[in-house]
Amino acid sequence: MKHMLGTAAVAALMAAPVAAEDLSVVGSWSGLPLHKQFEEPFWTETLPEASGGEIDVSLTTHGQMNLGVADVFRLLGDGVYDVAMTVADYAVADQPALEGLDVPLLALTADEARAMVDAARPMVDDIYRDTFNSKVLAIAPYPPQVVFCNAEVNELADLEGKKVRASGRMTAKFLEALGAEGVNVSFSEVPGALQKGVVDCAVTGAGSGYSAGWWEVSTHLMAIPLGGWDSVVTAMNMEKWNSLDAETQELISTQIKTEFEEPAWDAAQDALVNDIACLTGNGDCPAGDARDMTLVDVSDADFQKARDILIGEVLPDWAERAGGDWAERWNGSVGEVVGVTIE
């Protein structure tokens, strides 16, 4: 009798449906195109459907949770939620080596930026594993981080002496080397800071600035990738990742690459052209009403000056702060792709 009951119990368990895998996911800035067009549809529709309903996602954003951006990956490592995504530069205080993922002024196109990211990926994987106890799932771009100014600027030298909100630590170092004053202002506070003169200029993606209304408090747009491409990392808590079976891991890895990461990169270059058109009126704006900011053309001389500062001052400073063998690893990966060597 005991044998029969045991067999019946096993059969019942085998017949029972497999419990759905619940994932708590914290997205990046909810008002920006990356979240609206790619993050939200992927986590709420694409992945659950691809899993046949076996993955159930609860999605919010760090803004909606009122999290400090520097805390997003720290809390992920602690297991407060399962998946998080935000700008890698927000986490560089915990590991300066992470700045090597998104070096400004080295990539002028989405293809060049993706090549840099792909080269840096093994470094980023190690940093997130060791510093944030998490598994990197994807790295997607915001468009290039350009310069919005509420003052007349006609060339790079005009930034000297101005207070500029940087989009990351390496960008801040570059601005200081240029003679500008890097100011730490959160993204959401920038419009007020520009309006009140707390900053003269601010760096962010063209599309982000359009969506957030920076054109209302800015007059000039300098379309040089002064802040890189502001890579957004998506990562999963390592304990959660290790708790998933191999089939689920493979499903998530494949889906996030083909249905989120690749489409975001494919859209990045056209997004820059369209976003500049939306901000300046130079071309058609598919996102809404075009604005009338003055587009500042960056000369070859300006661009060369910027790269000289980056290679001669900013990258060596980063190598010293990062310590260890990070500069050597960068030289052998990202550096080879972009033709730059940190001495």
Side-chain angles (χ1 to χ4, degrees):
M1 178 65 70
K2 290 182 180 179
H3 176 73
M4 291 177 63
L5 287 173
T7 302
V10 170
L13 286 172
M14 292 179 66
V18 177
E21 189 69 56
D22 294 325
L23 293 179
S24 58
V25 178
V26 175
S28 63
W29 293 106
S30 58
L32 299 187
L34 181 66
H35 180 78
K36 292 179 176 179
Q37 297 174 17
F38 301 104
E39 285 179 1
E40 185 174 26
F42 176 78
W43 290 106
T44 61
E45 301 172 13
T46 305
L47 184 60
E49 290 175 5
S51 73
E54 296 301 326
I55 295 178
D56 183 36
V57 174
S58 174
L59 176 68
T60 184
T61 67
H62 57 66
Q64 291 166 335
M65 293 183 70
N66 200 28
L67 296 178
V69 290
D71 295 325
V72 171
F73 291 124
R74 295 172 188 163
L75 296 174
L76 174 68
D78 291 338
V80 175
Y81 31 75
D82 299 320
V83 178
M85 57 206 76
T86 196
V87 178
D89 271 337
Y90 293 160
V92 298
D94 293 302
Q95 177 49 277
L98 190 55
E99 295 174 49
L101 169 63
D102 189 34
V103 179
L105 301 166
L106 294 184
L108 300 184
T109 68
D111 287 343
E112 291 171 348
R114 187 168 191 185
M116 286 177 58
V117 166
D118 289 345
R121 183 67 179 263
M123 294 173 56
V124 178
D125 287 345
D126 289 349
I127 291 168
Y128 274 76
R129 180 195 64 214
D130 298 338
T131 305
F132 301 111
N133 184 39
S134 58
K135 162 76 174 176
V136 174
L137 300 178
I139 304 176
Y142 282 137
Q145 304 296 290
V146 295
V147 188
F148 291 73
C149 286
N150 194 15
E152 183 176 355
V153 291
N154 298 299
E155 58 183 355
L156 197 63
D158 290 339
L159 296 180
E160 183 176 354
K162 288 186 168 52
K163 296 171 290 185
V164 185
R165 181 262 185 183
S167 59
R169 183 177 295 186
M170 197 173 285
T171 304
K173 291 292 182 181
F174 172 82
L175 289 167
E176 291 170 10
L178 194 64
E181 178 186 349
V183 180
N184 185 19
V185 179
S186 70
F187 177 82
S188 60
E189 295 173 345
V190 167
L194 281 166
Q195 189 173 33
K196 296 173 184 176
V198 175
V199 295
D200 302 301
C201 304
V203 179
T204 196
S208 303
Y210 178 81
S211 298
W214 288 20
W215 43 269
E216 295 182 292
V217 290
S218 304
T219 58
H220 288 65
L221 181 72
M222 185 177 291
I224 183 173
L226 207 64
W229 288 68
D230 237 12
S231 299
V232 174
V233 173
T234 301
M236 179 179 287
N237 174 271
M238 191 63 77
E239 277 77 31
K240 182 65 175 181
W241 174 257
N242 290 335
S243 74
L244 303 176
D245 60 54
E247 184 178 353
T248 303
Q249 289 180 347
E250 178 63 24
L251 174 69
I252 293 173
S253 297
T254 301
Q255 287 291 311
I256 201 167
K257 179 178 177 62
T258 61
E259 304 301 323
F260 167 68
E261 191 176 40
E262 290 180 354
W265 277 108
D266 289 344
Q269 188 63 42
D270 287 342
L272 174 62
V273 174
N274 292 336
D275 294 339
I276 290 176
C278 289
L279 288 164
T280 64
N282 296 349
D284 296 328
C285 176
D289 294 333
R291 308 304 171 178
D292 60 355
M293 292 184 67
T294 299
L295 180 62
V296 179
D297 291 324
V298 179
S299 67
D300 291 342
D302 263 356
F303 183 72
Q304 188 57 51
K305 176 182 178 180
R307 281 182 65 97
D308 289 346
I309 292 173
L310 174 75
I311 296 169
E313 299 182 46
V314 177
L315 281 172
D317 175 82
W318 167 71
E320 184 176 348
R321 285 185 290 107
D325 65 348
W326 290 109
E328 184 178 346
R329 289 189 64 179
W330 190 93
N331 281 341
S333 54
V334 182
E336 288 188 358
V337 168
V338 297
V340 172
T341 299
I342 305 171
E343 298 297 337

